[in-house]
């Protein structure tokens, strides 16, 4: 049985959500939103840990203020869960004009906000730019960690677990879990992964979880103790087998993917990982990695998802937030974001829906470090699996 989730199953996950969307509200309604947005200040709460991403947000903010009269303030956050908590507390206190107008979000944080009624909308599929989103080829634009989006967040970019290796040291990197186990044993101390609950570390653990479960049905439903115990038993067995051969014998783990990337550059590790397929190419262009580094994904597929922007239910500037979200979704902003020299974040748009001029913005020659052959994207397990996975990993290996 194949370990990749079939397209049929992906469609089934979302039920009616993948029906033909009611693309874009009418011109008069959108014009009214733009008129009301003029003069508003949008407080965009987004991760602030990468200067290239911060620079991109500054560019987008400048353009939106210039073109639409909407001011955007980037509120830099380290953990989106803190933003969710703030919105929750403000709503509980009856604060009708909250401090968050737009938030960069997906996964368990979206699930929490959706379940608790903390989101404004549905708005996403009414944005004019949504008409060109690739809802068929990229179904995770409408399914967030197996939770139907239902128009409550607008897609912003794509991501997929990707490995990096230096061809000079590792001409034949491992292509699946079994090969990774063999490779780690043959190269003791040269393989590792970030310590969960770091996002990349948790994603690596989820990758192994889907790899060891031939039947993944339970992973795409809300977690139960029984399902968790059954699905994770082979995961813990695989990690118990892998850990003794890892960097520092699996007793310590790097704090994040950036640290791993530097260890790869220094020759301390043979493999690194990222959630951006263009990350290595970006680092090579910036001369932080040698051009002998290549990117690849497990041949049977790796965990992939979409990241989004959402508007809290008590946003002070919901119209301005929609105008900014629509700009971020447009071909100009998406092409700039996809430019490896600027960010290298893959687009959510369907290129065949774009005009020739819009498509030309995305035309670029392949660069060293890019994934040469993309593997299938395996949808994220349901967001409710994240917390118990991280807690049990910490109990077993985090001491």
């Amino acid at each position: 049985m194949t370990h990749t989730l079939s397209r049929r199953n992906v469609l089934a996950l979302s039920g009616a959500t993948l029906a033909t969307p009611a693309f874009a509200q009418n011109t008069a309604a959108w014009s009214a939103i733009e008129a009301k947005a003029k003069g508003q200040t949008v407080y965009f709460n987004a991760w602030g840990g990468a200067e290239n991403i911060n620079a991109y947000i500054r560019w987008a903010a400048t353009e939106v203020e210039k073109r639409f009269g909407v001011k955007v303030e980037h509120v830099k956050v380290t953990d989106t869960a803190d933003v969710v908590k703030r919105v929750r507390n403000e709503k509980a206190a009856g604060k009708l004009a909250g401090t968050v107008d737009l938030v960069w979000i997906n996964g368990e944080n979206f699930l929490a906000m959706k379940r608790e009624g903390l989101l404004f909308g549905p708005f996403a599929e009414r944005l004019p730019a949504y008409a060109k989103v690739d809802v068929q080829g990229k179904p995770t634009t409408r399914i967030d960690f197996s939770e139907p989006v239902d128009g409550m967040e607008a897609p912003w970019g794509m991501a997929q677990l990707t490995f990096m290796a230096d061809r000079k040291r590792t001409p034949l990197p491992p292509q699946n879990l079994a090969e990774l186990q063999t490779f780690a044993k043959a190269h003791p101390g040269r393989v590792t992964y970030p310590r969960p609950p770091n996002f990349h570390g948790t994603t690596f653990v989820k990758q192994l979880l889907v790899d060891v479960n031939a039947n993944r049905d339970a992973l795409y439903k809300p977690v139960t103790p029984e399902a968790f115990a059954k699905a994770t038993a082979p995961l813990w067995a695989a990690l118990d087998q892998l850990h003794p051969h890892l960097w520092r014998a699996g007793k310590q783990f790097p704090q994040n993917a950036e640290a791993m990337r530097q260890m790869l550059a220094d020759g301390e590790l043979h493999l690194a990982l990222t959630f951006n397929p263009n990350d290595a190419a970006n680092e090579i262009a910036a001369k932080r990695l040698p051009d002998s580094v290549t990117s690849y994904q497990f041949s049977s597929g790796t965990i992939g998802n979409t990241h989004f922007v959402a508007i809290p239910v008590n946003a002070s500037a919901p119209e301005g937030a929609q105008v900014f979200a629509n700009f971020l979704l447009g071909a100009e902003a998406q092409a700039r974001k996809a430019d490896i020299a600027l960010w290298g974040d893959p687009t959510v748009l369907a290129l065949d829906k774009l005009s020739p001029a819009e498509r030309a913005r995305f035309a670029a020659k392949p660069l060293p470090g890019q994934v040469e052959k993309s593997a299938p994207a395996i949808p994220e397990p349901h967001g409710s699996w994240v917390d118990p996975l991280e807690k049990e990993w910490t109990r077993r290996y985090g001491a």
Side-chain angles (χ1 to χ4, degrees):
M1 178 183 289
T2 179
H3 277 199
T4 56
L5 194 69
S6 72
R7 177 170 176 73
R8 184 177 174 184
N9 287 339
V10 169
L11 295 175
L13 281 173
S14 63
T17 305
L18 282 185
T20 302
F23 286 129
Q25 46 199 316
N26 63 58
T27 304
W30 182 250
S31 294
I33 288 172
E34 286 185 326
K36 198 165 182 182
K38 198 166 187 177
Q40 290 183 346
T41 297
V42 173
Y43 290 93
F44 179 34
N45 285 240
W47 183 65
E51 182 46 41
N52 62 327
I53 297 175
N54 295 343
Y56 175 83
I57 293 173
R58 282 195 300 273
W59 166 81
T62 300
E63 293 302 312
V64 166
E65 184 168 19
K66 186 166 59 181
R67 301 181 196 188
F68 304 103
V70 176
K71 188 175 182 182
V72 177
E73 295 282 355
H74 180 190
V75 180
K76 296 174 184 174
V77 299
T78 54
D79 189 344
T80 307
D82 295 334
V83 182
V84 177
K85 192 182 302 180
R86 182 153 31 106
V87 174
R88 181 187 295 125
N89 291 342
E90 289 178 354
K91 186 188 177 192
K95 190 170 184 179
L96 299 179
T99 60
V100 182
D101 295 302
L102 193 68
V103 56
W104 185 7
I105 196 169
N106 70 357
E108 65 273 22
N109 291 311
F110 168 70
L111 182 65
M113 292 193 80
K114 186 184 179 195
R115 283 183 173 175
E116 296 176 36
L118 299 177
L119 294 172
F120 167 91
F123 76 95
E125 298 194 13
R126 297 173 183 167
L127 300 175
Y130 196 94
K132 295 177 181 179
V133 172
D134 190 0
V135 295
Q136 299 300 323
K138 299 169 181 173
T140 56
T141 54
R142 304 181 90 197
I143 311 165
D144 188 349
F145 283 50
S146 302
E147 180 69 22
V149 169
D150 293 334
M152 305 302 283
E153 55 181 355
W156 192 18
M158 303 297 297
Q160 186 171 353
L161 183 65
T162 301
F163 297 90
M164 304 179 203
D166 191 326
R167 279 196 181 95
K168 289 182 177 177
R169 288 195 301 268
T170 312
L172 295 172
Q175 295 292 321
N176 53 50
L177 174 57
E179 289 185 13
L180 180 65
Q181 296 275 24
T182 302
F183 183 87
K185 194 171 182 179
H187 302 89
R190 301 296 188 179
V191 175
T192 189
Y193 61 96
R195 177 190 178 93
N198 170 271
F199 171 75
H200 290 92
T202 299
T203 301
F204 177 80
V205 172
K206 286 188 286 185
Q207 177 67 40
L208 269 55
L209 178 67
V210 299
D211 282 342
V212 298
N213 281 280
N215 184 341
R216 299 173 180 165
D217 291 350
L219 302 181
Y220 296 98
K221 299 172 184 174
V223 69
T224 65
E226 297 75 21
F228 184 82
K230 183 177 179 181
T232 58
L235 167 68
W236 309 131
L239 288 176
D240 287 347
Q241 182 182 341
L242 180 65
H243 278 187
H245 309 296
L246 296 185
W247 178 74
R248 297 192 177 173
K251 303 295 185 187
Q252 289 179 281
F253 297 84
Q255 288 301 306
N256 50 46
E258 291 77 17
M260 279 187 72
R261 192 172 60 217
Q262 186 58 52
M263 293 161 76
L264 176 70
D266 294 342
E268 191 173 357
L269 293 180
H270 286 347
L271 300 175
L273 51 80
T274 178
F275 216 55
N276 181 344
N278 291 326
D279 198 18
N282 204 323
E283 293 298 301
I284 290 169
K287 304 198 181 303
R288 289 187 289 265
L289 282 178
D291 61 11
S292 52
V293 169
T294 184
S295 298
Y296 73 99
Q297 294 146 354
F298 280 177
S299 53
S300 62
T302 55
I303 292 280
N305 68 32
T306 300
H307 53 94
F308 300 81
V309 294
I311 304 171
V313 68
N314 64 338
S316 299
E319 296 82 14
Q322 289 176 80
V323 168
F324 189 50
N326 187 63
F327 178 80
L328 294 176
L329 198 49
E332 178 187 1
Q334 286 281 306
R336 187 179 178 91
K337 183 168 61 67
D339 187 336
I340 286 170
L342 300 172
W343 181 350
D345 189 51
T347 184
V348 298
L349 300 181
L351 297 187
D352 60 359
K353 291 183 179 181
L354 304 183
S355 70
E358 289 172 331
R359 248 193 326 271
R361 291 180 179 273
F362 290 88
K365 293 179 181 177
L367 293 174
Q370 282 184 286
V371 175
E372 293 173 5
K373 184 180 179 182
S374 293
I378 303 172
E380 293 270 6
H382 193 269
S384 59
W385 284 75
V386 172
D387 187 58
L389 265 178
E390 291 176 343
K391 284 179 176 171
E392 183 61 13
W393 187 96
T394 300
R395 188 186 74 80
R396 288 171 176 265
Y397 310 115

